[in-house]
Structures are given as structure tokens and as C-alpha cells.
């Protein structure tokens, strides 16, 4: 495996998915027959689910918070933080993951386009920003309230909701000369389209993961392997 050629003028946009945290022990979403820790995604990850059964949604995200808090960043998270230290503002990391393993590995130029497990926000969208909240709640009564009095909800982008920071993401993809995508099945939009936007803007596009993603044909290069094993070498200075 030879390292990726990254020149002094390259601008690198990295997109990660659940696969980058797999070697930290956090399960990917589509690993188990469309069930997510025993739940159908539409029962725990939609605005309708929150309205219908907030206790189930909070229980699910409380368990995911606990799992993320117990996990440690792996060599893939560390390799991406190292690359950022080399490239500075010519690097941007966009993750679909809601865990905080990238930042715990040292990443700073980081966008959580699907939200963050360790934050909550007002369910009524009163305008207050998300608050730090890593709470693991045993019942709905324990969930703190927003300052406006409404219920708090996990700061997670549910299916049917708009991902965060899309303006900045589109701008950075337009400027990127190299897009590296790691550990995502390429089945959730708009993230699955980023490779096409980058290709149209003339960037090289590289995918790393143990199997081909749904959008494999859009990449200029596919590297097969596990992120924690391959990424340190792929991103080494050469
Ligand atoms: P998926 O579960 O759909 O895909 C995980 C990908 O990681 C698969 O393509 C695996 O081949 C790959 N993978 C597994 N182990 C790996 C390893 N060790 N190294 C590298 N890759 C590995 O997860 P995502 O594509 O991230 O949305 O899912 C996208 C979105 O769908 C998530 O952000 C979430 C989900 O529902 C929201 O929460 C809004």
C-alpha cells in the first residue's frame, strides 16, 4: 500500500461514516439486517418517532451515549488528526458519526453533519443553541428541560431532517482537490452525493472500506481494507 500523494497545494475534504468507529467497538448501522441495536430506524430516528414515543427515542440515544463514552478513538481517528496537523486549513473533516471520537483523537476542523450524541436541543426549536448534555437517562422524567420549558431532544439529525452546515460543506467540496471517504455505505443522502459533487469540481476521489459502497462507481479509486489498519499507512507523509 503506497501512501496517498498529497501535494503542498492540495485541499483535502474527508467524509467519514460509521465504519471509522467500528474498530472502536461501535456497531455500524447496516451491519445487522437493517436493525439498529434491535430497533427499526424509523422507530428511533425520525421526528414521528420522537412525537409518538419520546421515552423509546431517549432510551435508545441514552444507550448510544453510554457506548460512545466507553469507546476510545482508534488508529484511523488518530491518522486523520495527524493529517490535519500537517495540512492545517487545507483540511476539513466532515463526519456522519454522532460520536465524539474524532475530536477526542485531536481533530479540530470538524463538522458533525448528522449532529452530536453529547448535545441536546429544544424540541420546540425556540431558537436557543444546542446544550452540552451527555446524560444517560433511565426515564423521561430525568431528561432536563430547555430554558424555555419545552422538552429537550437529542441533537441528532433524524431521517427527513436537513443535515447541518450544508452551505459550508458545499463550499469546501467545491474547493477540494482530493476527497477521501472512509467507512460509509454510500446509502444515505445527501452525504452519498458528496463524491459526485467533488468529481464534478475536478477532485480526485478515494474510498476506503472493507467492501464497496453503493456509490462505488463514482470514485476514482477504491482502497479495500479496515480503516484502523490501512489509514495510518495511506496517510503517512511518504
Ligand atoms: P453504514 O452502517 O451504512 O455503513 C458502514 C460502512 O462502514 C459499511 O460500508 C462498511 O463496509 C464499513 N465498515 C465496516 N467496518 C469498517 C472498518 N473497520 N473500516 C472502514 N469501514 C468499515 O453507516 P453510514 O454509511 O455511516 O444517519 O450511515 C450513514 C448514516 O445512516 C448515519 O450517519 C446515520 C445512519 O442512519 C443518521 O443518524 C442521520
Amino acid at each position: 500500500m503506497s501512501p496517498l500523494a498529497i501535494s503542498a497545494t492540495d485541499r483535502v475534504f474527508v467524509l467519514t461514516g460509521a465504519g471509522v468507529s467500528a474498530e472502536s467497538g461501535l456497531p455500524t448501522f447496516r451491519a445487522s439486517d437493517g436493525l439498529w441495536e434491535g430497533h427499526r430506524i424509523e422507530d428511533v430516528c425520525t421526528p414521528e418517532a420522537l412525537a409518538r414515543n419520546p421515552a423509546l427515542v431517549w432510551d435508545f440515544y441514552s444507550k448510544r451515549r453510554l457506548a460512545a463514552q466507553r469507546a476510545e478513538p482508534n488508529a484511523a481517528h488518530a491518522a486523520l488528526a495527524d493529517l490535519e496537523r500537517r495540512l492545517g486549513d487545507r483540511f476539513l473533516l466532515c463526519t456522519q458519526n454522532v460520536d465524539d471520537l474524532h475530536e477526542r483523537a485531536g481533530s479540530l476542523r470538524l463538522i458533525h453533519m448528522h449532529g452530536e450524541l453529547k448535545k441536546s436541543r429544544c424540541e420546540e426549536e425556540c431558537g436557543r443553541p444546542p446544550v452540552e448534555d451527555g446524560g444517560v437517562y433511565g426515564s423521561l422524567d430525568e431528561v432536563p428541560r430547555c430554558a424555555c420549558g419545552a422538552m429537550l431532544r437529542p441533537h441528532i439529525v433524524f431521517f427527513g431532517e436537513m443535515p447541518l452546515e450544508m452551505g459550508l460543506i458545499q463550499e469546501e467540496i467545491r474547493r477540494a482537490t482530493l476527497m477521501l471517504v472512509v467507512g460509509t455505505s454510500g446509502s444515505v443522502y445527501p452525504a452519498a452525493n458528496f463524491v459526485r459533487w467533488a468529481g464534478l469540481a475536478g477532485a480526485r476521489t478515494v474510498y476506503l472500506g472493507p467492501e464497496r459502497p453503493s456509490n462505488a462507481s463514482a470514485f476514482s479509486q477504491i482502497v479495500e481494507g479496515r480503516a484502523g489498519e490501512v489509514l495510518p499507512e495511506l496517510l503517512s507523509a511518504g
Side-chain angles (χ1 to χ4, degrees):
M1 162 76 44
S2 43
L4 268 186
I6 301 177
S7 79
T9 54
D10 271 326
R11 294 189 70 91
V12 180
F13 185 103
V14 179
L15 172 68
T16 61
V20 83
S21 295
E23 287 155 86
S24 295
L26 298 178
T28 64
F29 306 116
R30 284 162 195 84
S32 52
D33 294 336
L35 285 186
W36 193 358
E37 313 241 318
H39 296 288
R40 294 182 313 153
I41 285 178
E42 52 272 40
D43 289 339
V44 287
C45 198
T46 59
E48 295 75 26
L50 185 68
R52 194 171 53 236
N53 194 345
L56 176 68
V57 172
W58 263 113
D59 179 60
F60 174 73
Y61 283 101
S62 289
K63 287 178 178 143
R64 291 191 65 202
R65 282 178 172 181
L66 197 58
Q69 286 162 12
R70 288 177 174 160
E72 294 296 333
N74 65 51
H77 299 104
L80 289 167
D82 282 348
L83 182 64
E84 178 181 343
R85 279 189 282 274
R86 267 165 54 206
L87 300 185
D89 64 6
R90 291 186 293 117
F91 174 95
L92 185 75
L93 173 54
C94 174
T95 186
Q96 296 169 86
N97 298 345
V98 294
D99 65 55
D100 61 353
L101 297 181
H102 281 305
E103 48 269 54
R104 280 163 56 199
S107 289
L108 298 170
R109 294 180 50 78
L110 172 66
I111 295 175
H112 276 282
M113 67 176 288
H114 287 166
E116 293 174 72
L117 272 177
K118 64 179 185 189
K119 293 184 181 172
S120 299
R121 69 171 191 265
C122 179
E123 193 200 14
E124 300 290 337
E125 297 180 15
C126 73
R128 289 179 174 80
V131 292
E132 296 290 330
D133 174 24
V136 174
Y137 304 116
S139 76
L140 214 46
D141 298 339
E142 295 173 21
V143 178
R145 298 244 150 203
C146 178
C148 77
M151 205 177 85
L152 283 182
R153 59 167 274 182
H155 182 47
I156 300 288
V157 174
F158 290 150
F159 283 90
E161 296 180 330
M162 182 68 92
L164 307 174
E165 306 277 13
M166 281 308 297
L168 177 59
I169 289 170
Q170 280 171 316
E171 175 63 20
E172 290 287 335
I173 291 177
R174 206 179 49 72
R175 297 165 72 198
T177 57
L178 171 61
M179 174 175 281
L180 172 64
V181 178
V182 184
T184 170
S185 56
S187 52
V188 172
Y189 288 82
N193 259 338
F194 290 1
V195 58
R196 296 187 182 92
W197 302 347
L200 284 173
R204 279 181 293 155
T205 52
V206 180
Y207 179 79
L208 167 62
E211 59 201 354
R212 291 171 70 79
S214 308
N215 54 358
S217 63
F219 286 90
S220 31
Q221 185 184 352
I222 303 269
V223 180
E224 280 190 29
R226 284 153 57 94
E229 291 166 7
V230 175
L231 211 46
E233 204 175 329
L234 196 66
L235 297 182
S236 66

